[in-house]
Amino acid sequence: SMDKRTECPNPDRIYHASVDAAGRILLPAELRGGMKLKQGSRVIIEAEGGSVRVTPVSQAVEEAQAFFK
């Protein structure tokens, strides 16, 4: 359920980033902090109708475990 998802500090905020020559996108510090992402954190990247969703692996595992309880 959405209420169990990690929430960024301001979920209605639009963040801006750019893609570097290697194809990397730097997530803004406020967003990384709110999602509890640190250097080396693993994420799942999903393409959805022209958009991209980034989910911490730890969150996806918690959601899967809750689903099977």
Side-chain angles (χ1 to χ4, degrees):
S1 70
M2 286 299 275
D3 56 312
K4 292 187 177 186
R5 290 185 177 269
T6 302
E7 295 294 332
C8 61
N10 185 350
D12 297 325
R13 172 126 190 233
I14 295 174
Y15 296 91
H16 295 269
S18 57
V19 179
D20 72 10
R24 296 175 293 217
I25 299 171
L26 178 64
L27 299 176
E30 179 184 17
L31 186 57
R32 291 192 314 270
M35 294 177 69
K36 299 181 176 117
L37 293 173
K38 301 176 206 158
Q39 182 177 344
S41 293
R42 305 287 297 169
V43 297
I44 296 169
I45 301 170
E46 301 172 85
E48 297 181 341
S51 296
V52 175
R53 176 185 296 198
V54 178
T55 305
V57 168
S58 59
Q59 175 185 323
V61 168
E62 288 174 11
E63 289 175 2
Q65 289 172 340
F67 179 79
F68 290 106
K69 282 188 176 183

